[in-house]
Amino acid sequence: MKTVGVFRYGGPEVLEVVDLPVPEVGPGQIRIRVHAASVNPSDILLRTGFTDSMLAGRLTPPYRPGMDAAGVVDAIAPDANTDLHVGDRVMAIVIPIDPSGGAYAEYVVVDARQVVRAPAGTTHAEAATLPMNGLTARLALDVLDLAPGGWIAVTGAAGALGGYTVQLAKADGLSVVADAAPADEELVRSLGADKVVSRGPDVADRFREVVPQGVEAVVDAAVMGPQVLGAIRPGGQLALARSVGEPGTVPLGDTGEVIVRNVFVPEYRYAHDKLDALRVLAEEGRITLRVAGEYPADQAADAHRRFEGGGVRGRLVLTF
């Protein structure tokens, strides 16, 4: 089978197309014929070596990125607890540090709990944008556990994670203030944000203009860190999509009375019911699946270059 992985860490050029044996189905597992796998920030962390401590000595190179897969059920273990059948269109969250490896492959074998039907009426590419980012947004909101009617702020609202967070927060009955560049304001409003402020420095002040008492929580999809602390009321919460110390983050410093929550989506790898609930919301039109571009698998390096260039709205998707 065709896979895309790395034998050495570095820039996009280290991504190699490699032919590997099709994996066998083990106990409780499903094999997916992957047609689409989205490109995420976590893929860059793997490619550049940040996750080496979780890979070296556990998996055999080439290490494969990819946390979202969409395709067709190819095989099911006899003991798998699932109502799926061979030939069903599905999507799955894939964890590259697990024995399965990442989703950049024609076939991937995962636990049946990681797989649900793809939203009806979607393409493989559209379905591949949902599992990892959707579950990250879901986990962030679950960890914050805000009561309906409360105010939440979302940074990076035009991106995939930020956009899903806005839409899921609205589905939960929350009021949302989000940031956006001028060109993205209409998009962010269309996702359901109640108020939109300009992104960039001093965004906390602009959030405070909308919610003078301070928001109950911030989901920091844009990795602004300490710049958003001033928007949060005393005793409020900050949900971090990237833990402090990861590339692109800066130390938070004194957080005062703000409670910091780290959001680590592998904790939801087996959250089958939550992934299926995302499918339902997508079918109802309450979650928007945005594909920013599709690339054949052998052009994975080009997709990574475009992703790292910034300005991508939605997700870039590799096709197999």
Side-chain angles (χ1 to χ4, degrees), residues 154-164 166 178-180 187-188 191 193 221-222 290:
V154 180
T155 68
L161 173 58
Y164 287 142
V166 170
D179 70 347
L187 166 64
V188 173
L191 297 174
R290 294 178 288 147

Side-chain angles (χ1 to χ4, degrees), residues 2 4 12 15 17 34-40 103-105 124-126 128 291-320:
K2 178 188 290 186
V4 178
L15 292 167
V17 177
V34 178
H35 288 275
S38 68
V39 177
N40 288 293
Y104 287 14
H124 292 306
E126 289 168 339
V291 177
E294 298 182 34
Y295 291 77
D298 57 7
Q299 295 178 20
D302 292 334
H304 274 229
R305 289 188 188 97
R306 181 178 169 191
F307 181 87
E308 291 182 281
V312 176
R313 298 294 176 255
R315 274 288 166 254
L316 302 177
V317 176
L318 303 183
T319 57
F320 289 84

Side-chain angles (χ1 to χ4, degrees), residues 23 29 58-59 64 95-102 109 270:
Q29 293 182 324
R58 298 181 64 246
L59 301 184
R64 285 205 315 268
I95 309 299
I97 61 176
D98 284 352
S100 63
V109 170
Y270 301 137

Side-chain angles (χ1 to χ4, degrees), residues 37 92 108 130 175 201 221 246 281:
V108 65
L130 182 55
S175 297
E246 289 188 21
L281 288 172

Side-chain angles (χ1 to χ4, degrees), residues 2-141:
K2 178 188 290 186
T3 67
V4 178
V6 298
F7 289 96
R8 58 189 177 89
Y9 299 125
E13 71 280 356
V14 303
L15 292 167
E16 297 185 37
V17 177
V18 183
D19 189 45
L20 295 176
V22 174
E24 297 295 328
V25 176
Q29 293 182 324
I30 290 176
R31 184 169 65 208
I32 302 170
R33 168 60 175 94
V34 178
H35 288 275
S38 68
V39 177
N40 288 293
S42 57
D43 302 351
I44 311 303
L45 295 181
L46 185 151
R47 194 202 73 216
T48 55
F50 182 80
T51 58
D52 182 69
S53 63
M54 293 178 276
L55 294 167
R58 298 181 64 246
L59 301 184
T60 302
Y63 302 136
R64 285 205 315 268
M67 294 189 70
D68 301 279
V72 176
V73 174
D74 182 71
I76 303 174
D79 66 340
N81 182 16
T82 181
D83 61 355
L84 295 169
H85 300 89
V86 171
D88 285 348
R89 291 187 61 249
V90 293
M91 61 183 180
I93 181 169
V94 185
I95 309 299
I97 61 176
D98 284 352
S100 63
Y104 287 14
E106 283 186 296
Y107 293 88
V108 65
V109 170
V110 293
D111 189 288
R113 291 170 290 180
Q114 296 171 242
V115 188
V116 302
R117 286 181 172 80
T122 63
T123 66
H124 292 306
E126 289 168 339
T129 69
L130 182 55
M132 193 280 277
N133 285 287
L135 283 175
T136 302
R138 182 68 271 160
L139 177 57
L141 293 167

